[in-house]
Amino acid sequence: RSLIFLASFRNPSELSRIKAAAPQANATLADPCIAWITAPADVTAIAGAGPEDLRAAMVFLPPYRKSVRRDEEDEDDETSNLGMEIGPRVVLDAGAAAMVQGDAASAERLLKRACLLLPKSAAPRTRLAMVYAAGGREEEMMAALRDAVALEPRDLATRERLASELFDRSRHHEALKHAEEA
């Protein structure tokens, strides 16, 4: 099992205090486990997202959500969000948080980035569709929903949402097809 923390600090002294405590913590553990990853390439390799993405995401997440647990045994489970790389998951969660906080521009930017970081996941596309819907951008919303359904055809909620949107636009034949498949 692994526990990885992504943390943002307001000033360098906070980081210095925590780094100073790490050797003592490692000395008391049976298996020393505290390591600092600060090189941008290492952060990207471990987190699955670059420092810029993580900095942008951290602004929207509450303090308790700034650490993300990942169990190694869950990494191969393609149906579970726990199998996602940590960085992309943080960016996805931050996009959703920005949406809830009413910051549509940041939500869109973060969710578009999550789409790039998670090319096989419907979740960022489904959330991006909600941002587009809130902004009255119907064509973009429909495209995002179609992309999400194409990636995860078994996602019933997204398929039903697409069917409902198609029905509202009098595209009954397409709506029926998606409703039947749901």
Side-chain angles (χ1 to χ4, degrees):
R1 291 183 174 251
S2 61
L3 183 60
I4 299 173
F5 290 92
L6 300 173
S8 62
F9 298 99
R10 290 185 189 93
N11 61 57
S13 67
E14 291 180 36
L15 176 60
S16 297
R17 281 196 334 262
I18 292 173
K19 282 179 111 172
Q24 181 181 358
N26 269 342
T28 63
L29 298 170
D31 295 315
C33 63
I34 298 174
W36 298 97
I37 313 298
T38 56
D42 293 337
V43 170
T44 301
I46 290 171
E52 316 77 42
D53 295 324
L54 297 173
R55 264 188 230 99
M58 294 302 227
V59 172
F60 293 97
L61 298 175
Y64 66 86
R65 192 66 182 100
K66 290 184 182 177
S67 64
V68 180
R69 179 181 176 165
R70 179 180 70 181
D71 291 325
E72 291 170 1
E73 63 201 39
D74 294 328
E75 289 181 17
D76 295 328
D77 182 1
E78 292 180 20
T79 62
S80 169
N81 281 346
L82 292 175
M84 267 185 214
E85 285 295 325
I86 289 171
R89 191 166 103 194
V90 167
V91 173
L92 174 64
D93 290 350
M99 187 171 57
V100 168
Q101 293 173 24
D103 188 342
S106 294
E108 181 177 353
R109 183 176 36 78
L110 288 162
L111 292 170
K112 282 182 174 180
R113 185 65 184 146
C115 287
L116 294 173
L117 294 169
L118 299 165
K120 296 180 181 178
S121 175
R125 287 148 187 86
T126 301
R127 291 179 181 169
L128 187 57
M130 294 184 337
V131 170
Y132 291 148
R137 296 161 59 186
E138 293 182 14
E139 290 306 313
E140 290 167 292
M141 175 199 63
M142 295 298 290
L145 286 173
R146 281 193 175 95
D147 290 347
V149 168
L151 286 169
E152 293 182 22
R154 293 183 187 159
D155 180 350
L156 298 181
T158 303
R159 190 174 282 281
E160 287 174 359
R161 173 77 187 266
L162 178 58
S164 174
E165 295 294 342
L166 288 165
F167 186 81
D168 289 347
R169 287 160 183 72
S170 298
R171 295 165 78 175
H172 301 118
H173 180 68
E174 269 186 275
L176 182 60
K177 175 187 165 230
H178 285 289
E180 285 175 345
E181 291 176 9

